[in-house]
Amino acid sequence: MLLECSTKELPENIKFINLLCRLGVSYHFEDEIDEQLRRIFNMLPKLLEDNDYELSTFANLFRVLRQYGYKMTCDVFEKFKGGDGEFKEDIANDVEGLLCLYEACFLAVPDEDILDEAIAFTRKHLENLVENSSPHLQNHIRNTLMNPSHRTTERLNAFHYISFYREEESADETLLKFAKMDYNALQLLYKKELAILSKWWKDSNVVENLPYARDRLIEAYMWSLGAVFEPQYSISRMFLSKYVAVATPLDDFYDTYGTVDEIKLLTAQLQRFVMDDGDELPEYIKSLCGLVFELAEKHHAQGCSCKATFAKEMLKELSIGLHNEAMWRKEQKAPSFDEYLRNGKVTCGYEAFTSAFLLGAENMGMDEVLWVRNDSEMIVGAKLHARFLNDVSGVRKGESRGEFPKAVDCYMIQYGMSEDEAVEAIVKFLENKWKLMNEGLLQPTMVSRSLLKYTFNYTRSSIFLYQGTDLFTYGNDMMPMVNALVINPIPM
């Protein structure tokens, strides 16, 4: 069907590719899709000159091309503006066109003001159209406004879109059946992985040895599933889940339970990365060290030497970052925002967790390790979303910020702002970082699309966890997603 569509007119071709992406099955056809998009992109000037396409075609074309690294210009949306420089009101009732344009705007790079204007325009009119739409369309509009696809984890995207598409009168039954079967087949794999992880977690005795710590294996797995969902990365996903699960009690110890002396002893132990019989550590801290060491050594034996060394060094770096944060809290000292930012790029865990992902990825090696370490704008964006979204989520909901200092505290002190002003500034700061991440998607790129996708998905998992309640800490709120993505198959 995909190959057949390549011989048809552009609107039909791009609509089918878009459906494959939205239904979560495009990963089966990456080479075929890229080949078709390369051909379309090369022909684009003539296609746009010779044809007057609808808004939905322009928007889908823009979003899909940029998603695959082709920089289609945003100037194509100028044709939908009037002489006054505003978007024409005659598109205000085009629900499909507005939805597609709204989704496309989240692929913006810096200095694309027209896409900022388009987000405000489409959001306003979609909110007005909700009440007069069918219940089926109401749910889709509300979900799109709340969870634009470019900022949502891929499996959650697929679940929502399959649920919407199966109610559409124009749905292609063959494609819909394939999407359902694929979704349920992956779900069986995820259940198997969780069974293996649950046995490992139980055998590790973490809950018994460290009763103070959060028991968050399921949450760790859901975060990892958000970061990488494809079946060929099953080993990476399980490695990643283990690292996140083990990092949680480590973070709890540094955050809350360790004394100053114990924190210093633990950090020194982790820097040596060896357990000595004469160590002065209490038994429960030895238990925590032993868990980190065992995890690292076991997985290092399965990876190449450069990736193994990288993973161990990133765990050491993480412990230094957590030590710094712990000392600030113990002393009730707020560093400058710039200093907090530098340390936060470590404590967000991106490099430690990405090292676990790379260990399980046979097709990745030293080139990918070097890219992860180069701190490009895409990587910085991923790190700071993970760190700052956690810090500002409670403030935006009117909840306690928790332990001092957080990003909001440091920003308030450095720039002399109120809490609300600091939160607004940090959110705006992250929006700019998102646009820079989008720019990093565009060709030519330094690494494979798989690692770029992982880095975006790392950020999407952070948005998923912290855009409202802290789902990682308050796991009961995550259960609807666990049921949808891992437990309950989609009815055929």
Side-chain angles (χ1 to χ4, degrees), residues 98-325:
L98 290 175
L99 284 167
C100 293
L101 178 57
Y102 180 77
E103 294 277 22
C105 291
F106 291 93
L107 277 293
V109 301
D111 302 319
E112 292 187 325
D113 295 340
I114 188 172
L115 296 181
D116 293 333
E117 297 167 20
I119 282 185
F121 177 84
T122 52
R123 183 183 287 122
K124 170 188 169 184
H125 288 288
L126 286 169
E127 287 172 348
N128 291 337
L129 289 169
V130 166
E131 297 305 323
N132 296 321
S133 301
S134 65
H136 161 62
L137 189 54
Q138 281 182 4
N139 290 336
H140 183 56
I141 293 173
R142 287 181 178 133
N143 181 65
T144 300
L145 290 173
M146 186 178 300
N147 303 298
S149 62
H150 190 54
R151 296 197 183 185
T152 306
T153 59
E154 294 187 78
R155 281 293 86 186
L156 200 55
N157 254 329
F159 174 77
H160 285 314
Y161 202 79
I162 291 171
S163 300
F164 164 72
Y165 188 65
R166 67 185 176 191
E167 301 297 327
E168 288 283 273
E169 291 182 4
S170 60
D172 184 305
E173 291 301 322
T174 301
L175 182 55
L176 178 60
K177 183 177 180 180
F178 178 66
K180 290 178 179 179
M181 291 174 67
D182 184 72
Y183 186 93
N184 291 344
L186 284 182
Q187 195 178 78
L188 290 173
L189 173 63
Y190 302 152
K191 288 177 181 177
K192 180 180 179 180
E193 291 171 357
L194 258 180
I196 294 169
L197 287 167
S198 296
K199 184 179 186 306
W200 161 79
W201 190 241
K202 182 178 180 182
D203 292 345
S204 71
N205 295 317
V206 173
V207 178
E208 291 77 8
N209 293 334
L210 304 168
Y212 68 84
R214 289 172 293 169
D215 179 4
R216 293 293 182 270
L217 177 65
I218 300 298
E219 290 80 358
Y221 181 77
M222 290 297 291
W223 187 92
S224 302
L225 178 56
V228 55
F229 79 90
E230 295 92 339
Q232 65 267 34
Y233 292 114
S234 177
I235 294 174
S236 285
R237 188 162 43 252
M238 289 197 286
F239 280 9
L240 188 54
S241 299
K242 290 181 179 183
Y243 271 59
V244 176
V246 170
T248 303
L250 189 67
D251 183 58
D252 289 342
F253 179 82
Y254 277 104
D255 256 359
T256 307
Y257 297 99
T259 66
V260 170
D261 289 341
E262 288 174 337
I263 285 169
K264 290 178 179 178
L265 284 170
L266 174 60
T267 305
Q269 185 81 66
L270 291 173
Q271 295 312 299
R272 292 197 301 274
F273 230 88
V274 62
M275 190 70 76
D276 300 322
D277 293 337
D279 285 332
E280 302 174 8
L281 289 170
E283 284 303 317
Y284 76 100
I285 304 180
K286 286 185 178 180
S287 171
L288 182 55
C289 276
L291 184 62
V292 174
F293 297 163
E294 179 186 354
L295 180 64
E297 294 301 333
K298 183 180 293 183
H299 289 164
H300 292 178
Q302 301 178 47
C304 71
S305 59
C306 73
K307 293 194 288 186
T309 301
F310 176 57
K312 188 178 290 187
E313 291 304 312
M314 291 309 96
L315 286 170
K316 291 180 182 180
E317 272 195 16
L318 179 61
S319 71
I320 292 289
L322 292 173
H323 174 273
N324 293 339
E325 287 187 352

